[in-house]
Amino acid sequence: MTMESVKLTESLVRIIAETRPGETEPAFAMAKQGLLDYLGAAWKGRAQAETGRLLRYVSGSGQALLLGSGQGAGAELSALYNGYLGHYLDYDDVNQTVRGHPSTVLYPALLAVASLRPVTGKRFLAAYVIGAEVMARLAQAMGLQHYRKGFHNTATLGVLASAMATGYLLQLGTDRLLNAMGIAAAQVSGIRLNFGTESKPLQAGLAAQKGVQAALLAEAGIAAGHTVLDGEQGIFALYGEGVRGDTRDILLGKWGRSWELCSSGLWFKLYPFCSGASHVADSARQLYQAGGFLPEDIQKVALVFPPGGDAALLHRRPATGEEGRFSAEYVAAVGLSGLAYTLENFSLKPVSARLRQCMARVERQYDAAVIPGKTAMPPGRFAVVRVYLKDGRILEHRTDIPKGSPGNPLTAEERFQKLLDCCPEGIAPQLAAFVETLESDTDLSSLIKILKTDKS
């Protein structure tokens, strides 16, 4: 029997099950950066009073990690809560191939299991690498229409990836891993219309929860279909563009020889809002810092995108800073008004009259004739901020590679400063020291103990 004659689902799951942890080691450095960034973003989310509502919902019987709370829950609710925390402020990492957030789905699922069972650091990191790989390959195979239709890749693809990562961590083997994939496929969900509400991070948490649930149900012997990626009723047909001629190669080609984390890497954010607005943010900040105008000097502002380049930025006139995380107009107004891109300006508070006035002068434009830079991140994307002043001057700045993206990465010092800013006092150095040698540890009990620390 040739590989081509085996169904897509079985082929992918088999190659996952047969991957040795040592094969994933080239991606460990990026995986560890992703872990620290996730933990920082999650702890900052934990510090927000509003997240206490979900803590009250999930806490109870169980010993699985509820980050920073000193409380416990069952594995599935642990994944839900910690995934919600990591994505609550939209401060967590992004992968451009996924067009979504891998770490805030994968690490909560893996930590839920690792807080209950003995897990080596090497297998823990390997499970994350594999989960990120699956998530990226599924995104490529699904095609662009999935996101454009309104699905939330972090949630829809995340449930499948977290099931595979968790199943790999549990060493389920091919048959049970196939069942986990089938169970997870039955729970694919998540919509972009929830962007700018608490249900956006909730969708990330639900994907982590469902992934853990799928793996544990499969471990318990619950069976499911073994062809959920295949044919006219598989998920690619139902949610994407169908199984194409290149789908098999996308899912299986060069497996283990070219890890996603080593090629496209992770995007670590400087700002607590959607990475789709980062191009606008960098340009607006550059224009303001160059000086020569005040907000009241602005007659109008044009934000120029490639067609579809602003798909994630749903809100044109946001009412709150939370909605402003997904608004190009709001991000431009904050930057051009000389305000900092801090959490205070992206909170639940109503947008100020000053910023509303500035946003009223901002409009979006689309120009297919503008050629994106060859190294643009994500590929094909850019944003031009063009400011028309009342004195007749026109100021313009274009960004193709935002700060924090793999092409313009944060330095190690900047990443650690973000961790310091996010974590309670004294926690960041402990986390950094532990994660540095994580692959050498025989269990994660010391890390879990730190993460259970009840500090705000």
Side-chain angles (χ1 to χ4, degrees):
M1 181 181 296
T2 65
M3 181 66 76
E4 287 70 21
S5 66
V6 179
K7 294 293 186 181
L8 283 173
T9 315
E10 183 179 346
S11 297
L12 178 61
V13 167
R14 187 175 299 280
I15 203 170
I16 292 169
E18 293 176 353
T19 300
R20 298 185 300 275
E23 296 176 63
T24 66
E25 288 187 25
F28 280 5
M30 185 60 67
K32 290 191 286 187
Q33 290 179 30
L35 176 57
L36 288 174
D37 190 78
Y38 158 73
L39 291 173
W43 224 306
K44 198 68 172 177
R46 164 76 176 90
Q48 310 308 303
E50 295 80 15
T51 60
R53 293 192 290 265
L54 187 61
L55 177 61
R56 290 190 291 273
Y57 174 81
V58 301
S59 60
S61 60
Q63 299 299 315
L65 171 70
L66 296 176
L67 188 140
S69 72
Q71 303 180 54
E76 295 164 27
L77 290 179
S78 163
L80 170 65
Y81 178 68
N82 295 327
Y84 175 75
L85 289 188
H87 202 42
Y88 186 76
L89 299 171
D90 226 274
Y91 207 12
D92 51 307
D93 64 44
V94 173
N95 175 266
Q96 64 186 27
T97 304
V98 170
R99 201 168 188 175
H101 305 257
S103 294
T104 198
V105 174
L106 298 174
Y107 275 129
L110 298 173
L111 285 167
V113 172
S115 61
L116 295 175
R117 305 190 189 189
V119 171
T120 67
K122 179 177 283 190
R123 191 158 194 98
F124 179 83
L125 289 171
Y128 172 80
V129 173
I130 287 171
E133 189 73 17
V134 169
M135 203 167 175
R137 289 178 182 245
L138 288 174
Q140 288 180 292
M142 191 71 77
L144 297 176
Q145 288 303 315
H146 182 71
Y147 191 86
R148 290 172 180 167
K149 286 177 181 177
F151 288 107
H152 179 198
N153 286 14
T154 300
T156 56
L157 306 175
V159 63
L160 299 165
S162 63
M164 293 300 95
T166 307
Y168 182 85
L169 189 68
L170 294 169
Q171 303 185 58
L172 292 188
T174 300
D175 287 344
R176 290 188 175 183
L177 207 56
L178 272 167
N179 289 332
M181 178 70 90
I183 295 167
Q187 303 178 81
V188 170
S189 62
I191 57 175
R192 288 196 288 117
L193 280 178
N194 276 327
F195 285 16
T197 75
E198 287 180 295
S199 283
K200 196 216 183 208
L202 186 65
Q203 288 176 174
L206 287 168
Q209 177 189 26
K210 293 171 185 176
V212 171
Q213 181 185 59
L216 293 177
L217 286 171
E219 184 184 44
I222 303 299
H226 288 186
T227 58
V228 294
L229 304 183
D230 297 88
E232 295 181 358
Q233 295 183 354
I235 63 166
F236 296 133
L238 294 175
Y239 296 96
E241 301 167 11
V243 176
R244 307 186 303 264
D246 61 349
T247 301
R248 178 173 290 275
D249 187 58
I250 288 172
L251 291 178
L252 307 174
K254 296 183 180 179
W255 182 276
R257 300 196 303 275
S258 178
W259 296 112
E260 180 69 25
L261 292 175
C262 297
S263 54
S264 66
L266 294 172
W267 180 320
F268 299 116
K269 295 184 180 182
L270 274 179
Y271 316 125
F273 52 75
C274 178
S275 61
S278 293
H279 302 73
V280 170
D282 284 1
S283 286
R285 189 176 66 168
Q286 288 288 336
L287 287 170
Y288 183 82
Q289 289 177 346
F293 68 91
L294 297 172
E296 53 266 31
D297 297 329
I298 297 173
Q299 182 177 17
K300 69 175 183 177
V301 178
L303 306 180
V304 185
F305 299 95
D310 60 338
L313 306 175
L314 298 182
H315 296 283
R316 304 281 180 133
R317 295 292 181 265
T320 66
E322 182 181 49
E323 291 183 352
R325 293 177 195 152
F326 305 93
S327 171
E329 292 80 3
Y330 182 76
V331 169
V334 169
L336 294 173
S337 297
L339 300 176
Y341 292 125
T342 59
L343 287 174
E344 182 180 359
N345 289 319
F346 292 88
S347 69
L348 290 168
K349 295 179 182 177
V351 174
S352 68
R354 180 188 183 195
L355 288 175
R356 289 199 305 271
Q357 291 171 0
C358 189
M359 281 195 297
R361 305 187 190 109
V362 181
E363 64 177 30
R364 301 190 200 189
Q365 298 176 2
Y366 307 93
D367 194 339
V370 177
I371 300 174
K374 292 182 179 180
T375 58
M377 290 195 168
R381 300 273 286 282
F382 64 83
V384 176
V385 178
R386 188 175 296 135
V387 179
Y388 297 82
L389 298 174
K390 293 175 182 178
D391 63 9
R393 287 181 295 154
I394 301 175
L395 308 177
E396 180 178 304
H397 192 278
R398 169 176 166 169
T399 297
D400 287 57
I401 310 175
K403 180 66 174 176
S405 65
N408 187 12
L410 303 188
T411 65
E413 291 76 16
E414 288 171 326
R415 293 196 308 273
F416 185 65
Q417 186 59 53
K418 177 181 176 180
L419 188 66
L420 284 171
D421 292 342
C422 287
C423 290
E425 185 176 359
I427 294 291
Q430 295 181 59
L431 291 177
F434 187 92
V435 171
E436 183 178 3
T437 59
L438 183 58
E439 64 268 42
S440 302
D441 290 308
T442 55
D443 68 75
L444 274 67
S445 57
S446 297
L447 175 62
I448 299 301
K449 183 177 180 181
I450 296 171
L451 298 181
K452 286 184 175 180
T453 302
D454 186 2
K455 288 185 177 181
S456 58

